[in-house]
Amino acid sequence: MMAETGNNRVQGWRPAATLLAVAVAYYVGAQLGFILRFPPTTPSVLWPPNSILTATLLLTPVRRWWLYLLAALPAHLAAELPVLPPLLVFGLFATNCAEALVAAAGLRWLSDAPTRFDTLPRMAVFVLVGALAAPFVSSFPDAALVTAIQGESYSFVWRTRFFSNVLASLTIVPAVVMAVRNGLPNLRAAAPHRHLEAGLLASGLFLASMGQFGNPSEFGLGLPAELSAPVAVLLPFLLWSAVRFGPGGLSVCLVATALLAVVAGTGESGIFVTQRAAEAVLSLQILLSTMAIPLMCLAAVIEERRQASEALATRLRLEEMLSRLSAAFVHLPSTEMHRALDEWLGRLGEHMGLDCVVIAEYSRTAADELVVRAWAPSEPVKPQTVACREVRWADDQLRQRQTIAVRDVGDLPPHAHAERLMFRLYGIRSCIVVPLEAGERVLGGLAVATTSADRALREPFSGWLRLVAEVFASALERTAMEDALRASEGMKSAILSSLSNGVAVLDSDGTIVAVSQSWTIEGATVGSNYVTAWRETARAGASHGSDAAAGIAAVLARERDSFAFEYTARDPTAERWYSMVVVPLNQPDGGAVISHTDVTERKRAEVNAQRSRQELAHFTRVSTMGALAASLAHELNQPLAAILSNAQAARRFLDAARPDLGEIRSILSDIVEDDKRAGKVIEGLRELLRKGETEVELLDLNALIRDVVKLLGSDALIRRVRMHLDVAAEPLIVAGDRIQLQQVVLNLLVNAMDAMADCPTEERVVSVQTELCDGQTARVSVQDAGPGILTGQHDLLFEPFYTTKPTGMGMGLSISRSIMEAHGGLIWATNNPARGATFSFAMPIRNGTAT
Amino acid sequence: MPSLICVIDDDRSVLRALRRLLWAEAFAVEAFGSAEEFLASEHRANARCLVLDVNLTGRSGLELQEQLLLTGAAPPIVFITAYDDRVARERACRAGAVDYLRKPFDDTALLDAINRAIRGS
C-alpha cells in the first residue's frame, strides 16, 4: 500500500517495502490467529495470514509470487516455531501457500477483474473460488498433518480450519485488496458527512457487537440455540455498510465484527476453554460466514448499480458539456474564437476534474510550429509557441491522426524523450491526446492530463474527447476560413482603392455593386444601374450613349468577351477623352467589371503626333513636288502651247476672206479640251500639295497608280525613263487616304527613276505591277534597274533621314512606312536577281466599290 | 509650190494646233507623232524645215538631229520644248539648230524661225 501511493522518487525500494509489508502483515495475522484459538487444538478460529497471502498474490504479478511467498516464510516460522513442532510448521506453511495459490490462480483464471468486487459475477467468483473452494481443498492436507503430528480429531481440525479460513477470506481479502487498490486518498478526499456517517456506523456496529458478544454471563447461556435473534441486531449495521459503503466498507465491518465476536467468544474462557465454547465459536463462524456471503453479494450488486448510474451520470455530464460547448462555438465570430477557447479549456478542466487541458494548434504562418494554449487549475491560459521537433513523437502521432492514450509514463515509447521529460516535469500520471481534424488536414491536438493515479483517464473518455476535439477543430477551421476570407476581402478593397483608373463592379443586371475610390462618374454610384445611366445619356442627346449601353449589355449577357469604347465628354474647361473597357466578371452569378480611364493626354499626344506626321508628309510631298517642278511645268506647258497656237491659228483663219468656220469650231473644242487638261494637271498638283486631314475612303489602287504614273509621265519623259505599267485585271479596292497612298506610290516611282539617273538611256525602265494575292491582299511592286540596295542597308532604308541622294532628306521611305502602317499594310524592299531593286507594299483588300 | 514643213511632236493637241497655224500661213505641213514615224516617211527628204519637239517618246529630238546630221541630209531644225533644259538647248544650238522655242511660244516667233530656216537653206 505504501509503495502504491508513494511517489516516483521511492520507486527504488518499493518492491523491498512491499515484501517487508507482506512479511509483517503475515506475522501480525499469525499472532492474531494464535490468540484466537483453543489450545490444545491447533487451528485458530480466525486465521488471517492465508487471506493476507491471497490478497498479496491477487495484487502482484504471477512472476513475482514466489518472492512474496518466500517473504512470508520467515514470518511464518517466527510466529509458529515457538508454538508448534518444526515439521508441522513447515507443513502448515505449505498448506497455507497452497490455499493462497489456489484462490489467486482460480480467481485470475475465472474472473475478468480478480482485484475488483464491484459486480455480482466478480463477487460470486470470489466467494466460490477464493472464499470457499480454496479453504475447502487446502483444509484436507492441513487437517491430516495436524491429526498425524498432534493427534487431534481430524474432523474437528478440518472443520475449525475450514470455517476460520472462509471467514477470514470473506472479510479480509476484499478489505485488503480494496484498501491497496483504491488507497487512503479516497478516504481523505471524502466529504465530512461521509466521515461522520462512517463514524456513526463504526460506533453502532461496535455497540451492537459488544451487546451481542460482550456479556460473559449471557454468552455462556446459549449462543447456538438463540443465535438468530441477537445476530439480527447486527444485520442493520452490516446492511447499512453494504448499501452506503460498498463491498469495501462491508468487508471492513465484517472483519471488525468477526474479530469482536471471536475475541469475545474466546477471550472470556482464556486457555481453559471448553469444548462447548469451541462449539459456540464454530457456530459463530458459520453464522458470520453465511451472513457475509449474501451481504457481500448484495454490496456487489449495489456497487454495480451505483457504478452504472455513476457512469450514466458521467456520460450525461459529458453530453451536456459537449452540447453546451457546441452551442458556444457554433455561431462564435472568429475574432472571439481564441478567447472562447481559453475559457472553455478551463471549464472542461474544472468540470471533468482534470489537472491540465491543452490545445495545440499548428501555426498558420510556420508549418513546423505549434501554438500551445495550456490550462491548469488557477493558471491563466497563455499561448506559447513550441517547435514541432521538440515533441517529435507526439507530433508524428497527431499527423498520423492517432489518438495518444498514456496511462502511465511507462507507456511512452523509448524514443519519446521530450514527452517523458514533460511527464516528469509536470508530474503527469496519465494523459490523452486526440488530433484536431478538419477534413483531410490535422489542425493540431487536444490533450488532457491528470497528475494523480486514482484519477487515471479511462478509454471511454477519449471517445468523448474526440467529440470535443471535433467541435474545437471545426471552430478553428472556421476561424481560419473567416480570417482568410477577411484577408481576401481586405485585399480586394485595397486593390479597388489603389486603382488609378475608375473601376466599377456590376452585377448581372448592370447594377453597380462596388466602385474604386477613383471612380468619379457622375450619376453612377453604388446601387444605381450603369446600363440605364448610359441609356439616359443617349436620351439626353449623347450619340455614343446607346452604343455604350448596348456594349455593356452584350458583355453582361455573355454575348461578347469584352467591350472597349472611347468617347469624349466636355467638362467646363475643355474636351476630355475617356476610354471604357468592359470585361465579364468571372463568377457563376455573372456581372462585369467596368474600367474608366481618362485618355485625354494620350489622345492629345496622338492628335499632335498625327498632326506632325501629316505636316511632315506634306512637307515631303512639297519637296517631292519641288523636284518635279520642271516636269510639271512641261506637263502644263503642253496644253498651254496647244491652246496658244490654236488660238493664234484661229485668229489667222478669221482674218481670211472666207473664214473656215468648221475649222474654227474644231479649234475651239481643242482649246476647251486643252484647257481642261491644264486644269486637271493643276488640280492634281493642288491635290498632292493639299495639307488636309486624313480622309479614309474606298478607292481602287489600280486607278490611283495610273493617275500617279500619268502625273509622272513628263518627268519620265524628261529623264528618258520608260514606265511599264502592269495592273491587275480586277479592281483592287482598299480603304485609305488617297493623298497618302498617292504619296507612297509617287515616292517609290521617283526613287526608282532617281536610282537609274546614271544608267544608259535604254536601260532606264521602271516596271509598276499591281496584283491580288491570296484574295485578301493587294500588292504593288515598283521595280527599277538601278544599282540596287547596298548589302546591309535593307534595315536602314525605312529609317528617317536615311538617304543615298545628295539632295535627299531621307524622309520619303520613312513616311511611306508610317503611312502603310496606318493603313494596316506593309512596305519592304528586295534586290532583283539581275540588277536593280524592287520596292513593294501590300495592304488588305476591302469589299465594295471605289467612291 | 509651198515649202514643206514637218512638225514632230508626241503631243497630239500641240501637233494639231501647229499644223493649223502653219497651214493658215500657207505652208505645206506634215505632222508626225514621233521621230521614228518621220524617219519612216517619204517626206523626210523634201522637208524644208523641221519643227521638232525635244522630249519625244522613243527617240528624242536631239537624237534625231544627231542622226540626220550623220546621214548628211539634215533640214534646218526649229526645236520646241515644254521643258527648258539649258544642256539640251546648248547641245541643239551647237549642232546647228535654227532656234529653240519654249512652249508656249508666240506664233510670230515660230514663223520667224521657220522663215529664217527656209531663207537660210
Side-chain angles (χ1 to χ4, degrees):
Chain A
M1 196 154 81
M2 265 177 72
E4 284 293 328
T5 52
N7 64 30
N8 290 326
R9 282 195 308 274
V10 299
Q11 244 176 357
W13 49 275
R14 189 171 152 174
T18 315
L19 288 173
L20 189 65
V22 168
V24 169
Y26 190 94
Y27 181 78
V28 172
Q31 289 301 331
L32 188 67
F34 277 124
I35 296 166
L36 305 177
R37 65 178 194 151
F38 307 99
T41 54
T42 307
S44 168
V45 292
L46 186 75
W47 184 245
N50 292 10
S51 302
I52 285 165
L53 272 188
T54 304
T56 305
L57 297 189
L58 282 176
L59 287 165
T60 51
V62 177
R63 61 194 151 81
R64 291 214 196 125
W65 280 3
W66 64 274
L67 208 57
Y68 292 103
L69 294 179
L70 210 60
L73 182 57
H76 180 81
L77 296 177
E80 297 202 353
L81 270 179
V83 187
L84 297 171
L87 189 60
L88 185 61
V89 171
F90 283 103
L92 289 179
F93 185 69
T95 57
N96 288 356
C97 289
E99 184 187 334
L101 283 169
V102 168
L107 273 170
R108 275 188 186 262
W109 179 44
L110 291 170
S111 175
D112 61 335
T115 59
R116 289 167 69 175
F117 310 94
D118 50 0
T119 67
L120 190 59
R122 288 169 188 163
M123 185 59 91
V125 170
F126 166 70
V127 167
L128 289 174
V129 177
L132 294 176
F136 182 80
V137 172
S138 63
S139 290
F140 288 108
D142 190 285
L145 270 173
V146 173
T147 310
I149 294 170
Q150 302 284 78
E152 294 171 26
S153 154
Y154 183 87
S155 63
F156 179 76
V157 173
W158 184 92
R159 206 179 54 184
T160 313
R161 187 191 182 274
F162 172 68
F163 283 109
S164 91
N165 283 13
V166 167
L167 187 58
S169 277
L170 274 176
T171 54
I172 293 171
V173 172
V176 171
V177 168
M178 278 187 277
V180 171
R181 265 196 67 245
N182 298 339
L184 287 176
N186 248 2
L187 294 183
R188 282 203 297 264
H193 72 269
R194 292 288 283 169
H195 286 286
L196 185 67
E197 186 179 349
L200 285 174
L201 173 62
S203 18
L205 192 64
F206 181 76
L207 289 174
S209 300
M210 288 318 287
Q212 202 58 49
F213 313 119
N215 191 332
S217 57
E218 290 211 351
F219 177 69
L221 286 181
L223 247 179
E226 304 155 26
L227 213 51
S228 54
V231 165
V233 181
L234 290 174
L235 201 55
F237 293 101
L238 294 175
L239 274 174
W240 181 4
S241 71
V243 171
R244 296 285 298 166
F245 296 91
L250 175 67
S251 59
V252 171
C253 290
L254 282 173
V255 172
T257 313
L259 275 174
L260 283 171
V262 172
V263 168
T266 53
E268 181 60 25
S269 47
I271 52 168
F272 307 104
V273 88
T274 60
Q275 191 62 31
R276 191 178 129 82
E279 284 297 328
V281 170
L282 181 63
S283 305
L284 185 67
Q285 284 176 330
I286 294 169
L287 172 75
L288 286 176
S289 302
T290 48
M291 203 162 66
I293 290 171
L295 279 173
M296 293 294 273
C297 290
L298 177 71
V301 169
I302 290 168
E303 179 66 13
E304 196 177 356
R305 292 278 172 277
R306 193 186 61 76
Q307 282 188 6
S309 68
E310 204 169 77
L312 193 65
T314 307
R315 240 183 80 191
L316 277 175
R317 211 168 69 235
L318 294 178
E319 298 274 320
E320 191 203 336
M321 193 82 190
L322 193 63
S323 67
R324 276 167 50 202
L325 181 73
S326 305
F329 276 87
V330 72
H331 290 307
L332 199 66
S334 69
T335 46
E336 297 284 295
M337 196 61 70
H338 282 109
R339 192 196 50 73
L341 267 184
D342 294 349
E343 184 191 328
W344 275 89
L345 289 183
R347 280 199 203 173
L348 276 181
E350 278 162 12
H351 279 74
M352 298 298 132
L354 299 164
D355 298 310
C356 187
V357 185
V358 178
I359 192 159
E361 198 185 341
Y362 285 114
S363 168
R364 282 188 227 155
T365 47
D368 56 349
E369 279 182 1
L370 279 162
V371 180
V372 178
R373 321 173 89 85
W375 172 90
S378 69
E379 260 183 57
V381 178
K382 249 188 287 170
Q384 281 177 311
T385 306
V386 174
C388 292
R389 61 176 185 279
E390 285 178 31
V391 284
R392 180 155 297 159
W393 176 74
D395 179 44
D396 283 350
Q397 299 289 309
L398 279 184
R399 287 184 195 271
Q400 290 165 21
R401 301 155 168 260
Q402 296 290 321
T403 294
I404 308 170
V406 184
R407 289 284 198 82
D408 185 88
V409 70
D411 291 352
L412 287 169
H415 56 277
H417 305 292
E419 290 81 359
R420 188 172 299 114
L421 195 67
M422 273 188 196
F423 266 57
R424 298 255 161 83
L425 199 62
Y426 298 109
I428 295 170
R429 290 301 294 266
S430 65
C431 167
I432 297 178
V433 187
V434 293
L436 296 171
E437 296 175 68
E440 294 295 306
R441 295 187 307 123
V442 178
L443 303 179
L446 174 67
V448 295
T450 60
T451 51
S452 59
D454 60 304
R455 280 182 293 153
L457 297 162
R458 303 235 161 75
E459 195 53 40
F461 188 72
S462 70
W464 178 79
L465 204 61
R466 270 193 287 273
L467 296 177
V468 173
E470 231 168 72
V471 176
F472 282 153
S474 70
L476 286 175
E477 173 76 346
R478 197 158 49 79
T479 310
M481 274 165 57
E482 279 179 25
D483 287 352
L485 192 66
R486 200 171 304 122
S488 114
E489 283 286 334
M491 177 65 89
K492 210 166 68 189
S493 60
I495 290 171
L496 268 184
S497 66
S498 57
L499 287 172
S500 63
N501 45 355
V503 171
V505 182
L506 307 187
D507 69 7
S508 56
D509 300 326
T511 305
I512 300 175
V513 292
V515 295
S516 66
Q517 273 180 2
S518 42
W519 175 268
T520 52
I521 310 296
E522 206 177 310
T525 49
V526 171
S528 68
N529 191 298
Y530 196 52
V531 180
T532 314
W534 272 112
R535 291 216 177 96
E536 274 160 18
T537 58
R539 224 167 287 140
S543 55
H544 54 261
S546 52
D547 290 350
I552 298 166
V555 172
L556 285 173
R558 292 282 193 268
E559 285 161 9
R560 295 182 62 147
D561 289 340
S562 68
F563 174 64
F565 186 68
E566 281 192 359
Y567 64 95
T568 56
R570 183 160 282 284
D571 77 359
T573 53
E575 187 169 53
R576 296 201 74 80
W577 281 89
Y578 295 98
S579 161
M580 177 172 76
V581 177
V582 188
V583 291
L585 194 58
N586 192 13
Q587 62 168 25
D589 296 341
V593 178
I594 309 274
S595 174
H596 258 284
T597 318
D598 185 338
V599 291
T600 309
E601 293 310 311
R602 196 193 77 201
K603 271 281 163 188
R604 280 190 189 143
E606 266 178 22
V607 167
N608 286 342
Q610 172 90 356
R611 194 168 294 148
S612 336
R613 206 161 48 229
Q614 276 172 359
E615 274 169 6
L616 190 59
H618 176 250
F619 179 70
T620 47
R621 277 202 303 278
V622 170
S623 56
T624 307
M625 286 298 131
L628 292 177
S631 68
L632 285 169
H634 175 267
E635 190 78 358
L636 208 51
N637 283 339
Q638 291 286 39
L640 290 180
I643 288 167
L644 184 59
S645 296
N646 267 323
Q648 287 172 336
R651 200 164 61 193
R652 284 168 197 275
F653 281 126
L654 286 174
D655 289 344
R658 288 220 319 257
D660 183 345
L661 292 178
E663 192 61 34
I664 289 171
R665 192 170 290 120
S666 82
I667 283 174
L668 286 175
S669 61
D670 271 6
I671 287 175
V672 169
E673 282 309 309
D674 278 325
D675 191 77
K676 283 183 183 165
R677 201 174 122 202
K680 268 188 192 154
V681 171
I682 291 168
E683 180 61 30
L685 209 59
R686 210 168 61 189
E687 185 78 9
L688 268 176
L689 293 176
R690 204 180 69 197
K691 193 176 161 184
E693 294 284 312
T694 305
E695 278 174 31
V696 176
E697 57 184 330
L698 287 181
L699 40 89
D700 181 9
L701 265 188
N702 287 340
L704 183 135
I705 284 165
R706 269 195 210 101
D707 287 348
V708 178
V709 168
K710 205 188 237 171
L711 184 71
L712 285 179
S714 302
D715 200 40
L717 194 66
I718 293 159
R719 293 162 183 256
R720 314 290 304 145
V721 173
R722 283 194 308 266
M723 286 238 228
H724 182 75
L725 183 59
D726 176 16
V727 295
E730 65 276 18
L732 300 175
I733 307 297
V734 296
D737 182 85
R738 182 183 298 277
I739 297 170
Q740 290 182 3
L741 292 179
Q742 278 179 343
Q743 186 173 358
V744 174
V745 177
L746 184 75
N747 197 350
L748 294 185
L749 289 177
V750 170
N751 279 353
M753 290 193 287
D754 284 348
M756 296 185 296
D758 297 331
C759 295
T761 315
E762 63 276 9
E763 289 175 7
R764 297 179 190 169
V765 179
V766 174
S767 297
V768 183
Q769 194 187 9
T770 69
E771 59 186 321
L772 177 66
C773 308
D774 62 45
Q776 292 170 1
T777 313
R779 189 168 72 190
V780 176
S781 350
V782 176
Q783 186 178 351
D784 65 54
I789 303 155
L790 292 174
T791 317
Q793 305 285 296
H794 276 83
D795 295 340
L796 296 172
L797 284 177
F798 297 97
E799 293 300 316
F801 308 114
Y802 173 83
T803 183
T804 55
K805 303 173 198 173
T807 58
M809 196 170 61
M811 288 310 293
L813 285 174
S814 164
I815 286 177
S816 295
R817 183 172 67 175
S818 63
I819 290 173
M820 267 302 122
E821 281 169 356
H823 283 77
L826 279 176
I827 186 164
W828 70 96
T830 51
N831 272 327
N832 301 328
R835 63 157 181 248
T838 300
F839 282 75
S840 312
F841 68 85
M843 54 191 295
I845 285 285
R846 297 295 171 92
N847 292 324
T849 50
T851 47
Chain B
M1 179 163 169
S3 302
L4 176 64
I5 310 293
C6 284
V7 184
I8 307 166
D9 198 315
D10 57 353
D11 191 302
R12 295 283 156 196
S13 184
V14 171
L15 207 53
R16 260 205 316 275
L18 289 182
R19 196 171 57 185
R20 281 185 188 117
L21 189 64
L22 294 180
W23 189 35
E25 284 303 307
F27 284 110
V29 185
E30 284 300 328
F32 302 93
S34 69
E36 288 78 6
E37 235 177 86
F38 169 73
L39 287 175
S41 89
E42 71 240 39
H43 302 291
R44 61 179 281 196
N46 308 327
R48 294 289 305 279
C49 177
L50 288 188
V51 176
L52 182 55
D53 186 31
V54 178
N55 308 108
L56 285 173
T57 325
R59 200 174 309 208
S60 77
L62 292 175
E63 283 165 351
L64 181 61
Q65 180 192 30
E66 204 169 298
Q67 192 179 348
L68 291 174
L69 286 172
L70 282 175
T71 55
I77 298 173
V78 176
F79 275 105
I80 53 173
T81 184
Y83 174 63
D84 184 20
D85 182 359
R86 195 172 50 83
V87 179
R89 188 170 67 216
E90 280 170 6
R91 189 177 147 192
C93 293
R94 264 204 311 278
V98 177
D99 210 340
Y100 188 96
L101 301 175
R102 283 187 296 269
K103 291 178 189 176
F105 44 79
D106 219 13
D107 52 352
T108 51
L110 179 67
L111 293 172
D112 267 5
I114 289 174
N115 285 330
R116 267 188 280 128
I118 292 171
R119 270 202 312 276
S121 62

